[in-house]
Amino acid sequence: MRILLFREDGVIEPWAREFAAVMPQAQTVAWCEGQALPPCDYAVLWSPTPALLDQLAHVRAIFLMGAGVDALLKLGDALPPVPIVRLGDAGMGVQMAEYVAHAVLRYFRRFDEYEQQARHGAWNPLPQIPKPDFSIGIMGLGKLGLPVVEAMRLFGFPVRGWSRTPKEIPGVDCFHGADGLDAFLRGTRVLVCMLPLTPDTANLLDRHNLGKLLPGAYLINVARGPILAEPDLMTLIRSGHIAGATLDVFRHEPLPAPHPFWNEPRIAITPHISALTVRHDAVRQIADKIAALELGQPVDDLVDRQLGY
C-alpha cells in the first residue's frame, strides 16, 4: 500500500514517521510540485494545490489532516470522484472547549476590563453579570461543537445551540435551519461560531444577523474567517451593540498588518490556534479508517460535497 502525503507548508517528515509506526506495511511518499510519483492508494493532505490533482487520479480515498474541508473543495470538479474523509475529533474538541471557555470567562468575569484598570493603577471591583442573563449560543453542534456545549454547561451558563438540521441535546435549547436562526440570535449574549465554511455560511455573520444579538453581545469565532463580515463587526463594536470579540480565524491569514482589528482594543486576536491537529491521534484515526475501507466497511466523517462539509 502506498500513501501520498502533502502539506502546503512542506512539514511531512513527522507525519511519515507516525504512519511508519502505526502502519509499517504501508509506504508513504511525499510530493513536491513538478514531481511525478507512482500511483498511490490513498492521499493524506492539507491545503492542497491544483498542481496536485494529477497525483490524485487513482487514489481510493482522500483523507484530510484536519476538520476543515473548504481548502480542498475549492478545487471543484477537478477532484477525483472518491470518498473524502475529514478528521473527527482527533484531540481538537478539548482544545476548542479550552479556548472558548477562556474567552467566555474573560468576558463574563470582566477580566479584560480589570486588565485595563490594572495598567492605570485602578482598584475598582466591577458588578458581576447575572449568570442566568448570560446566554451562550453555539453555532455548529458537531464533534467539535459538543465538547464546547458541555464545557459551557459545566460552568452553569444557559446554553443555546443552532445547527443546519434538528438536534436534541439535554439541557440545551436547540434551534435549526433558516427558520430557527432569528430566534436563536435574538436570545444570545455570547455567540460562538463553529460552523464549516460553505456557500450558505459565507458572510452569515453580517450586520443584519449580528445586529439581532442581545445588546452588549460578544462574538467568538473559531470556525473560518469568511463566515464573518469583518467591516460589519467593526461597525457594531464601534456603535456599542457588540461589546467585543475574540477571533482566531480571519478572511486573510496571517491577518495583514494594516487591518483595523489590530488597533481595536475590544477585539482579542489569536493566530488560528484554537484547535491544532494532534498528529498522533490524527494518524491513528486515518489508519483505522483506511483499514475499514480495505475491508469494505463504512467509515464516518465522510464529506458531503453538496453540503460542503
Side-chain angles (χ1 to χ4, degrees), residues 98-303:
E98 292 167 351
Y99 185 100
V100 172
H102 174 272
V104 167
L105 294 174
R106 183 171 180 267
Y107 174 50
F108 174 67
R109 295 295 303 272
R110 307 183 73 168
F111 291 144
D112 52 343
E113 296 175 76
Y114 286 123
E115 289 169 6
Q116 292 295 324
Q117 288 187 173
R119 293 191 184 99
H120 296 92
W123 182 281
N124 179 32
L126 301 170
Q128 189 161 326
I129 305 169
K131 189 168 284 187
D133 298 336
F134 201 81
S135 55
I136 312 294
I138 299 168
M139 303 184 80
L141 301 174
K143 287 187 176 180
L144 299 184
L146 289 178
V148 175
V149 168
E150 292 306 310
M152 295 300 98
R153 292 188 62 214
L154 182 65
F155 285 114
F157 292 114
V159 179
R160 305 156 65 81
W162 182 86
S163 53
R164 184 183 61 85
T165 56
K167 298 284 178 67
E168 291 187 11
I169 304 172
V172 178
D173 291 331
C174 292
F175 302 79
H176 70 276
D179 293 341
L181 182 59
D182 186 82
F184 166 78
L185 292 171
R186 292 189 186 280
T188 293
R189 178 68 178 269
V190 176
L191 180 64
V192 181
C193 181
M194 306 190 68
L195 296 171
L197 176 61
T198 71
D200 290 334
T201 63
N203 294 308
L204 180 65
L205 300 183
D206 59 7
R207 188 182 312 190
H208 175 69
N209 282 325
L210 291 175
K212 297 175 184 177
L213 297 171
L214 292 170
Y218 196 88
L219 173 66
I220 301 168
N221 188 10
V222 291
R224 285 292 187 265
I227 296 174
L228 172 64
E230 295 177 347
D232 291 358
L233 175 63
M234 288 295 296
T235 298
L236 291 168
I237 287 178
R238 288 166 176 166
S239 74
H241 183 74
I242 290 183
T246 295
L247 306 177
D248 186 53
V249 291
F250 305 90
R251 193 169 295 269
H252 302 288
E253 296 180 3
L255 188 64
H259 199 287
F261 283 173
W262 288 115
N263 296 316
E264 174 48 69
R266 290 164 289 190
I267 295 179
I269 293 170
T270 54
H272 205 144
I273 49 77
S274 56
L276 303 175
T277 300
V278 179
R279 187 170 53 247
H280 177 75
D281 292 348
V283 170
R284 185 165 295 278
Q285 184 181 125
I286 293 170
D288 288 344
K289 290 177 178 177
I290 288 176
L293 291 175
E294 288 287 299
L295 294 173
Q297 298 173 350
V299 298
D300 57 5
D301 302 311
L302 286 173
V303 172

Side-chain angles (χ1 to χ4, degrees), residues 45-67:
L45 314 172
W46 193 245
S47 296
T49 64
L52 181 61
L53 288 170
D54 288 344
Q55 305 298 323
L56 303 180
H58 303 292
V59 299
R60 301 177 202 167
I62 298 171
F63 292 86
L64 299 174
M65 295 176 177

